[in-house]
Amino acid sequence: QVQVEQSGAEVKKPGTSVKVSCKASASTFSSYAVSWVRQAPGQGLEWMGGIVPISATTKNAPKFQGRVTITADELTSTIYMELSSLTSEDTGVYYCARERGGNPGSSPRDLDYWGQGTLVTVSS
Amino acid sequence: EIVLTQSPATLSLSPGERATLSCRASQSVSSYLAWYQQKPGQAPRLLIYDASNRATGIPARFSGSGSGADFTLTISSLEPEDFAVYYCQQRRNWPLTFGGGTKVEIK
C-alpha cells in the first residue's frame, strides 16, 4: 500500500525557515522519486522540486533555487523539504507527492500519490 | 519554462451534462500531459496521464485527448462528485508546470 504522510501545520515568522516532512512507504522510498508542490491560498499548484530518495539526487525549480533544500533519510523513509527566508508570500499548503513510474529521476513525471498537505503560515 | 493556459476559467454545468476543458501549452509537450482533480480541502488526484491514459481507479466518463500543444479533458456525463477544480500539468521538461485551473461548478 502506498503511504505518503506529512507533518502537521506550522506557523513561522518572516525571515525564518520551515522544514516539512513526508513519511513514505518503504517501496516508495526505494523505487520512486518524490516531488514537493505548493498551493497558495485560493491559487493554483506550483512545483518546487523533487528528490530520488535512494540516491539523494535532487532537482529544484528555478524560482526556488537557493531557498529550498530537499533531503531524504533512508533509516526512516522520510523526505524533508526546508524553505528558508520565509515571507508572507510563502503562506500556503505544501504537498509531497510520488512521481509516477520507474527509473526515478531520469525524466520529469506526473504525480500519482499525494500526501494530505501541510499548511504553512508565515506571519509576524 | 513551459506555460500551460487552461480555459475556460469557470464552467457552469448541470449534472448529466458533458464537460469539455482545454489546456494549451506554450510549446509542444508531445503527449506528456496529465490532468488532476482537486476538491476543496483535499490534495489533487491524478486522473489522466500521458494525455489519454486513465489513472488507476478513474471512471471511464473521464477521457483525455490531444498532443503537441493542445489538449482536452472530457467528462462525458457529470456526476455530483465531479464538481471541482481541474489542473493540467506537463512533464515534457523540467520544471514541471501546471495550468491555472478550470473550476467546474454547478449551474
Side-chain angles (χ1 to χ4, degrees), chain A residues 50-68:
Chain A
I51 187 168
V52 180
I54 204 67
S55 66
T57 305
T58 60
K59 192 167 285 286
N60 296 333
K63 174 177 179 176
F64 297 97
Q65 200 72 36
R67 224 166 48 96
V68 68

Side-chain angles (χ1 to χ4, degrees), chain A residues 35 37 39 43-47 59-62 95 99-100 105-117, chain B residues 1 33-34 36 38 41-46 48-50 56 87 89-100:
Chain A
S35 273
V37 175
Q39 187 169 37
Q43 302 300 309
L45 303 168
E46 186 172 34
W47 183 75
K59 192 167 285 286
N60 296 333
Y95 295 101
E99 296 185 11
R100 186 186 57 84
S106 60
S107 61
R109 298 293 170 86
D110 33 65
L111 308 170
D112 58 359
Y113 287 94
W114 294 62
Q116 80 275 24
Chain B
E1 73 179 43
L33 189 104
Y36 298 84
Q38 187 178 33
Q42 295 185 18
R45 175 173 72 144
L46 179 65
I48 301 287
Y49 65 91
D50 291 349
T56 303
Y87 295 96
Q89 174 240 318
Q90 66 80 23
R91 69 174 189 91
R92 177 66 180 84
N93 290 338
W94 278 298
L96 305 184
T97 50
F98 293 86

Side-chain angles (χ1 to χ4, degrees), chain B residues 10 12-13 18 20 22 28 34-35 54 58 73 77 80-81 92 94 96 98:
Chain B
T10 304
S12 299
L13 294 168
R18 182 184 189 89
T20 303
S22 174
S28 174
W35 291 92
R54 276 190 300 277
I58 302 303
L73 174 70
S77 178
E81 63 267 28
R92 177 66 180 84
W94 278 298
L96 305 184
F98 293 86

Side-chain angles (χ1 to χ4, degrees), chain B residues 57-73:
Chain B
I58 302 303
R61 64 181 181 274
F62 292 92
S63 64
S65 62
S67 66
D70 286 298
F71 299 86
T72 300
L73 174 70

